[in-house]
């Protein structure tokens, strides 16, 4: 029987197959090509033993992975396997859209070559905004990202979101308080996720861990809950790779004078010129610089032994 791994921990693998969820052990040391251990999102072959218990006896190759990149001495870690897309959630108001976080999440999706779209939640609160509309995300549509307006309060866009998720594994990510749990409850009231305006750490029932898990909407549709994804640091990525994670930078990247251009203050930088000409948004460029700094800080930590990176 083929099953999907929902959660792992303590040598136990929670899986789902045929609408049923159950715990399995793992036979021997099953690993994928490249040595990666079985993790959340993997499709596994499960065998039932005579005593009624189940164990995993095989794992299918992955088509994608959400990776927490190595910082210091830690190895790259697959947070979730077979992820199809990242849904980056921002709220139109309360809290105001955190566009730096949005850019970070979209970049994470680009690093791992996952699809990505934006969910603009709480559009019912949009008219609270006066003056310049901070929740105007048309620039992101111009870059090629779909922006899906939703409201849990008046059910706007919930069916469109459901369609967008169907048959896929989606990482639902965004700042605390933007409405991720509320959206999931709107999609499936049976989930009964805790909604609150305070920290997410206070626990969701039994599983207060920081490890990833899949939340099934049906046998083919899963939400990957990956705590900490909003703080991912693109450590170990070269500036060249980082530039590619900003979609609208791509047409210019080949034109920089230096092949290893970091687009900071190098002469002949095509990105800087595009920012100056208004072809690249100043804001997006600033997000790029912030991520570049985070990447360099991560690399620095790796060089110095990473004594501060525990936990
Ligand atoms: P999470 O931290 O991203 O999971 O956010 P929650 O789902 O816990 O929601 C945070 C707060 O925003 C709660 O008080 C929700 O009731 C509220 N909220 C969520 N979605 C909406 C929405 O579409 N409109 C309005 N007005 N409030 C919302
Ligand atoms: Zn450049």
């Amino acid at each position: 029987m083929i099953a999907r791994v929902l959660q792992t921990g303590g040598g136990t693998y929670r899986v789902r197959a045929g609408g049923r969820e159950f715990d399995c052990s793992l036979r021997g040391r099953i690993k994928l090509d490249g040595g990666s251990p079985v993790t959340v999102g993997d499709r596994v072959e499960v065998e039932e033993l005579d005593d009624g218990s189940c164990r995993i006896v095989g794992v299918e190759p992955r088509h994608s992975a959400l990776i927490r990149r190595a910082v210091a001495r830690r190895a790259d870690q697959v947070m979730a396997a077979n992820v199809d897309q990242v849904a980056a959630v921002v709220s139109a108001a309360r809290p105001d859209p955190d566009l730096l976080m949005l850019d970070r999440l979209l970049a994470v999706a680009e690093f791992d070559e996952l699809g990505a779209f934006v969910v603009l939640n709480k559009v019912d609160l949009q008219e609270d905004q006066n003056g310049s509309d901070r929740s105007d995300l048309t620039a992101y549509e111009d870059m090629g990202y779909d922006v899906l307006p939703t409201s849990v309060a008046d059910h706007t866009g919930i069916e469109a979101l459901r369609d967008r998720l169907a048959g896929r594994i989606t990482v639902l990510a965004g700042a605390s308080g933007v409405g991720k749990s509320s959206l999931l409850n709107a999609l499936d009231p049976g989930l009964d996720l805790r909604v609150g305006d305070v920290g997410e750490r206070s626990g969701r029932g039994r599983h207060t861990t920081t490890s990833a898990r899949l939340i099934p909407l049906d046998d083919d549709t899963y939400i990957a809950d990956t705590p900490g994804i909003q703080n991912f640091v693109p450590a170990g990525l070269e500036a060249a790779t980082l530039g590619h994670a900003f979609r609208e930078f791509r047409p210019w990247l080949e034109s920089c004078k230096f092949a290893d251009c970091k687009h900071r203050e190098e002469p002949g930088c095509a990105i800087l010129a595009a920012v100056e000409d208004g072809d690249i948004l100043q804001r997006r460029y600033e997000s790029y610089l912030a991520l570049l700094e985070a990447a360099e800080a991560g690399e620095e930590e790796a060089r110095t032994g990473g004594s501060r990176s525990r936990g």
Side-chain angles (χ1 to χ4, degrees):
M1 165 178 39
I2 297 292
R4 182 76 70 175
V5 177
L6 302 181
Q7 197 161 18
T8 72
T12 301
Y13 297 74
R14 184 115 190 125
V15 305
R16 178 177 169 117
R20 222 159 51 85
E21 288 180 24
F22 47 96
D23 290 328
C24 300
S25 59
L26 188 70
R27 187 186 72 192
R29 290 187 167 268
I30 293 168
K31 294 196 169 174
L32 283 104
D33 285 355
S36 183
V38 171
T39 195
V40 167
D42 273 321
R43 272 166 60 90
V44 291
E45 170 80 36
V46 170
E47 189 179 81
E48 197 171 334
L49 303 179
D50 290 340
D51 64 2
S53 67
C54 291
R55 67 176 180 179
I56 294 170
V57 296
V59 55
E60 294 189 356
R62 292 174 182 155
H63 68 75
S64 68
L66 177 73
I67 296 165
R68 186 201 289 275
R69 298 200 184 263
V71 175
R73 275 171 293 182
R74 282 198 231 139
D76 278 4
Q77 183 194 354
V78 175
M79 297 284 295
N82 298 315
V83 168
D84 295 293
Q85 56 187 359
V86 173
V89 188
V90 294
S91 55
R94 288 191 243 159
D96 277 347
D98 183 341
L99 298 181
L100 174 56
M101 179 170 310
L102 176 58
D103 291 340
R104 183 186 279 265
L105 291 171
L106 294 176
V108 165
E110 301 291 345
F111 299 148
D112 293 337
E113 295 176 14
L114 308 173
F117 65 103
V118 182
V119 176
L120 179 63
N121 190 36
K122 307 198 192 185
V123 287
D124 57 291
L125 300 178
Q126 216 158 14
E127 60 256 47
D128 285 12
Q129 311 246 330
N130 36 16
S132 73
D133 189 358
R134 294 238 308 131
S135 66
D136 179 4
L137 300 182
T138 47
Y140 289 86
E141 293 181 300
D142 295 342
M143 294 166 206
Y145 294 108
D146 288 339
V147 177
L148 199 69
T150 60
S151 166
V152 176
D154 61 21
H155 214 75
T156 301
I158 301 300
E159 295 316 312
L161 179 59
R162 191 189 304 284
D163 287 348
R164 194 67 211 237
L165 302 176
R168 296 178 164 130
I169 298 183
T170 305
V171 172
L172 194 70
S176 183
V178 297
K180 298 180 298 295
S181 308
S182 304
L183 285 165
L184 290 174
N185 284 338
L187 288 164
D188 179 0
L191 293 174
D192 199 19
L193 296 173
R194 183 187 159 126
V195 169
D197 3 41
V198 267
E200 295 177 351
R201 225 176 297 167
S202 46
R204 290 170 168 151
R206 216 154 47 83
H207 301 292
T208 54
T209 65
T210 52
S211 61
R213 61 170 179 154
L214 289 193
I215 300 168
L217 294 180
D218 59 53
D219 263 347
D220 302 314
T221 306
Y222 297 89
I223 300 297
D225 180 20
T226 53
I229 184 186
Q230 63 270 33
N231 303 319
F232 273 21
V233 168
L237 284 188
E238 291 169 13
T241 317
L242 194 56
H244 276 279
F246 286 72
R247 275 191 189 175
E248 75 280 24
F249 288 18
R250 289 177 193 161
W252 279 277
L253 290 170
E254 302 292 302
S255 310
C256 291
K257 185 170 167 196
F258 300 109
D260 62 348
C261 187
K262 292 190 164 151
H263 324 303
R264 195 132 51 185
E265 50 199 8
E266 292 86 345
C269 173
I271 298 295
L272 283 173
V275 173
E276 204 137 288
D277 294 346
D279 292 323
I280 288 177
L281 283 182
Q282 177 71 28
R283 247 214 60 253
R284 285 276 290 174
Y285 177 65
E286 283 164 14
S287 290
Y288 164 80
L289 287 182
L291 274 189
L292 180 62
E293 241 148 69
E296 288 174 343
E299 279 162 32
E300 180 58 27
E301 209 168 294
R303 265 196 301 278
T304 56
S307 50
R308 290 187 306 123
S309 72
R310 302 174 97 239

